[in-house]
Amino acid sequence: MSTSVLDMSVSLDGYIADPDDFLGGEDGERLHKWADAKGKSARTAARFQEQWNAAGAVLAGRRTAELMDHWGGDHGGLPIFVPSHRPPGPAARWGYPLVTYVNDGIESAMAQAKAAAGDKDVQVRGAYTGQRALEAGVLDVVQIHQIPVLLGRGRRLFDVLPSEIELEIVQVIDTPEATHIRYRGRR
């Protein structure tokens, strides 16, 4: 059975991007530099890369999908499901056959993504979509790569939640570049 995983890099103060959608630092990629680690940390980064590559589908928020140009129509060959109340733009509508816009809610979008993924993971992309999936009870795992930097402003990962949500720590991996924490929702 498929597992849905929200996998995000986040600053120590809870931001996933600055106000201009850059990921921090002079080159706009500070929050993702851990994935290019060298030495001992490279093995940890490689383990996460293997997880991402083993996914069977992607569930992405509309804003995230559009910022990434729908990853060119697929996410490494994976189908992409985008929950949205508005129809897709021209590229997603006609040029990207692996992109499906779902207009009947996050639950339906997740069900379709899990069906497409089979027994592989569904990678969830985007803060808003992650929040809505948590709220609806359809997000299985939250995986955070906490980066030792304070951005001070921007877009927070968990800005708006309807109530307190209990999580259980499943795994912690500490490296000089990031602390990787995997949580499972308590049901």
Side-chain angles (χ1 to χ4, degrees):
M1 182 170 187
S2 183
T3 299
S4 57
V5 181
L6 175 66
D7 187 296
M8 300 286 286
S9 294
V10 62
S11 68
L12 183 59
D13 52 350
Y15 293 100
I16 57 170
D18 70 14
D20 298 317
D21 288 315
F22 292 104
L23 306 174
E26 289 183 16
D27 64 356
E29 289 291 327
R30 174 63 181 96
L31 295 180
H32 287 172
K33 285 196 184 303
W34 69 268
D36 294 327
K38 305 289 186 236
K40 189 176 180 181
S41 297
R43 287 191 297 274
T44 300
R47 284 178 46 200
F48 288 111
Q49 187 67 45
E50 288 172 12
Q51 285 179 11
W52 302 326
N53 291 341
V58 173
L59 177 74
R62 182 183 188 117
R63 186 170 186 283
T64 299
E66 288 178 348
L67 281 170
M68 299 303 297
D69 186 29
H70 301 84
W71 295 274
D74 63 67
H75 198 290
L78 303 179
I80 302 167
F81 297 84
V82 182
S84 179
H85 297 294
R86 295 179 289 128
R93 189 176 316 141
W94 296 302
Y96 298 152
L98 290 179
V99 176
T100 303
Y101 272 64
V102 180
N103 65 6
D104 57 346
I106 188 77
E107 296 91 343
S108 177
M110 185 66 79
Q112 291 178 52
K114 283 188 170 189
D119 61 351
K120 296 181 177 183
D121 287 352
V122 171
Q123 288 289 320
V124 178
R125 300 281 183 248
Y128 180 81
T129 298
Q131 291 170 32
R132 298 300 65 83
L134 269 172
E135 179 181 25
V138 296
L139 184 64
D140 302 312
V141 172
V142 176
Q143 188 160 272
I144 301 295
H145 309 283
Q146 190 174 51
I147 311 306
V149 65
L150 299 167
L151 294 183
R153 60 192 172 90
R155 300 185 182 281
R156 289 190 184 273
L157 177 54
F158 297 116
D159 209 17
V160 180
L161 293 172
S163 63
E164 185 174 299
I165 297 172
E166 292 287 335
L167 302 172
E168 172 187 355
I169 296 174
V170 177
Q171 181 182 45
V172 177
I173 301 171
D174 193 28
T175 69
E177 293 79 19
T179 300
H180 311 277
I181 310 167
R182 188 172 179 97
Y183 300 91
R184 181 176 35 240
R186 292 186 181 167
R187 297 189 185 190

